[in-house]
Amino acid sequence: DLKEAERLSSYPAKLGDLLLKKSEEGVVVNLMQWDDYSSNFAFPGMMGTYDEKTREFFQGTNVNSMFMSMEGGDVNTIFEGQNKKMAFTHHQKFIMMDTPKKNGDGGKELLAFVGGIDLTEGRWDNRKHPLFRTLQMNHKGDTYGKCFRVSKENGPRQPWHDIHSSVRGPEALDLIQAFSERWTKQAPQLVGELVNLHRIGLGDATTLENDGGWYTQLSRSIDSRVNAFDVSVKQSFQNIKIDQMGAFGWTSASDKKAEKSRRFVTNSNSLLSYNRCLDQKKGRLVDTSIHMTNIHHIRRAKHFIYIESQYFMGSSFMWSNSSERDVKCHNMVAAELT
């Protein structure tokens, strides 16, 4: 909890103060936060993100804080573009940093966290999910509640169940690339604040390998309105429609019992590689690898499939009735499950 963190460390326990302290030590701190278009200093906005408080807190400091909204494209009307800024955000939540190696040999490695937890009030919780008894202790001044109109002092507080993953090793480079691509697109004036990882010896995937025993892969859903895709990704662009990815797209790999598609290759139980390529929609480059990853692993499943998702949506674009096939959403996950 907060008191324990303050007792065990010489650094501030509160996130804003901690980032300020690290920036004053010469650490480069780049922060991207959703710019809630409906908020201002007098009104917290529809989503209550406290972006204006964050803007004011870091103003004039060494922290590079940038506030970014979802952008409409050239095909959108003025109203549609404004609506996207107010009602939509690109839902990336991750933290990346350099850290001492876990094996204690004195070297450095990359450490990243990625998942669903927002870095804001009321998100800290434990497996007991107390509603009242911690309101004057661990959760004093740190509650969140949108279900009922209740006071923060008397509760009940809204319990929080979410997940974040800790990533070390080469995969952290992909997360840093994802951050850098969006920073380059939406904060071009501060591209120079991105750290050159090769200069500090952390830019080579081979040297970042470890014996952690897990093989990870980054999948995304993002387009060129808010992302400046790396040249290496653009060069592998293929314009293959997802509804053309039928059974003919699967062939046997060289290793026994391995499978591969046009985009995925599983050569052994210790190697998983992915040929990144982009789709195209309305003249924009689109990374739909989350969708393709889901389809790939659903097709590979032999015994069971478990799914937990905040939203679950299929599509009618393959239905037999032609009048129902003219839809913008071509989500195939529901069809793959059947």
Side-chain angles (χ1 to χ4, degrees), residues 168-207:
R168 294 174 183 264
E171 181 57 23
L173 286 173
D174 289 338
L175 288 166
I176 290 176
Q177 179 176 326
F179 180 96
S180 300
E181 287 177 354
R182 190 166 182 221
W183 184 270
T184 300
K185 179 71 174 185
Q186 295 200 272
Q189 69 275 30
L190 291 177
V191 169
E193 295 296 332
L194 293 171
V195 174
N196 187 324
L197 296 180
H198 291 282
R199 289 183 178 177
I200 58 175
L202 295 174
D204 187 349
T206 303
T207 59

Side-chain angles (χ1 to χ4, degrees), residues 90-141:
H90 193 69
H91 222 47
Q92 292 184 166
K93 304 173 186 178
F94 40 49
I95 309 170
M96 293 82 67
M97 68 201 77
D98 63 284
T99 188
K101 275 190 175 181
K102 208 172 182 179
N103 60 15
D105 68 358
K108 286 278 190 179
E109 65 177 341
L110 296 177
L111 172 64
F113 299 92
V114 58
I117 301 175
D118 293 301
L119 302 177
T120 187
E121 66 172 359
R123 294 332 192 249
W124 183 87
D125 211 344
N126 58 38
R127 65 186 64 185
K128 294 182 179 179
H129 302 298
L131 302 182
F132 296 97
R133 64 179 179 271
T134 58
L135 289 174
Q136 301 305 317
M137 297 181 294
N138 296 338
H139 286 108
K140 187 173 183 179

Side-chain angles (χ1 to χ4, degrees), residues 46-160:
M46 295 187 298
M47 305 305 296
T49 61
Y50 301 101
D51 54 327
E52 297 301 340
K53 282 190 174 182
T54 306
R55 194 192 307 269
E56 183 179 19
F57 185 83
F58 289 122
Q59 188 173 9
T61 71
N62 294 326
V63 174
N64 302 312
S65 54
M66 298 301 296
F67 300 84
M68 304 177 181
S69 58
M70 185 63 185
E71 298 293 334
D74 296 335
V75 298
N76 296 125
T77 64
I78 295 177
F79 174 78
E80 289 172 336
Q82 297 300 313
N83 182 56
K84 290 184 184 298
K85 288 184 177 181
M86 292 187 66
F88 294 90
T89 179
H90 193 69
H91 222 47
Q92 292 184 166
K93 304 173 186 178
F94 40 49
I95 309 170
M96 293 82 67
M97 68 201 77
D98 63 284
T99 188
K101 275 190 175 181
K102 208 172 182 179
N103 60 15
D105 68 358
K108 286 278 190 179
E109 65 177 341
L110 296 177
L111 172 64
F113 299 92
V114 58
I117 301 175
D118 293 301
L119 302 177
T120 187
E121 66 172 359
R123 294 332 192 249
W124 183 87
D125 211 344
N126 58 38
R127 65 186 64 185
K128 294 182 179 179
H129 302 298
L131 302 182
F132 296 97
R133 64 179 179 271
T134 58
L135 289 174
Q136 301 305 317
M137 297 181 294
N138 296 338
H139 286 108
K140 187 173 183 179
D142 183 30
T143 60
Y144 174 88
K146 292 293 184 180
C147 297
F148 306 100
R149 294 196 174 200
V150 296
S151 68
K152 293 185 177 182
E153 294 76 19
N154 300 318
R157 60 173 289 273
Q158 181 176 320
W160 204 266

